[in-house]
Amino acid sequence: MRKRILRKIEKKKITAKEGFDLLYKEKRKPVRFADLRLRIKDQPGLSCLLKVLFFFPIPVRLVIKIAMRYVKEEDIPQEIIDAFLQNGGGTTLFIDTDEVKIDLELL
């Protein structure tokens, strides 16, 4: 694949910038699972319960069915959700406040 792209650049079929983008462009993966870690700072018992509940990654397709009820109420376009599911893999969110620490990794 790399040699083909380099030959296209050599023969001036594509520009060097386009070749660079083809060779080194970050490839996004679809979202299949969500790994959720919650820690409530003032309540260690509740934090332990949440760790047990979310020990395994959650299948995103199951969560989407439940979340679609709320999305319809908030008028979020279906195209945005589909783009997120197709290109959101590998995304990590860290939220750290005075009360709660949340780590969400989309696999």
Side-chain angles (χ1 to χ4, degrees):
M1 173 101 174
R2 290 178 168 255
K3 288 183 181 182
R4 252 190 271 155
I5 294 171
L6 292 173
R7 285 189 187 127
K8 286 182 182 180
I9 294 171
E10 182 182 21
K11 293 178 183 178
K12 308 269 185 205
K13 291 183 179 179
I14 61 174
T15 65
K17 170 101 173 82
E18 291 170 344
F20 181 83
D21 290 340
L22 288 173
L23 287 173
Y24 299 107
K25 182 179 168 185
E26 182 179 333
K27 295 178 179 145
R28 292 290 186 169
K29 1 179 233 189
V31 176
R32 292 190 177 98
F33 294 97
D35 190 18
L36 182 64
R37 302 286 176 234
L38 297 169
R39 190 178 77 131
I40 301 172
K41 294 181 181 177
D42 292 337
Q43 299 183 1
L46 185 58
S47 294
C48 184
L49 176 67
L50 291 173
K51 284 181 184 180
V52 170
L53 286 175
F54 297 114
F55 182 72
F56 293 109
I58 305 164
V60 172
R61 291 294 175 182
L62 292 175
V63 175
I64 288 297
K65 289 181 182 179
I66 297 168
M68 287 306 291
R69 295 178 191 161
Y70 300 107
V71 168
K72 289 178 183 175
E73 292 175 6
E74 297 293 326
D75 295 328
I76 298 174
Q78 183 66 33
E79 295 83 26
I80 293 175
I81 296 169
D82 292 338
F84 169 73
L85 290 175
Q86 291 174 358
N87 302 316
T91 304
T92 304
L93 300 171
F94 297 108
I95 301 170
D96 191 11
T97 64
D98 293 336
E99 301 168 354
V100 176
K101 183 176 180 181
I102 301 172
D103 297 334
L104 176 65
E105 184 176 357
L106 301 174
L107 309 170

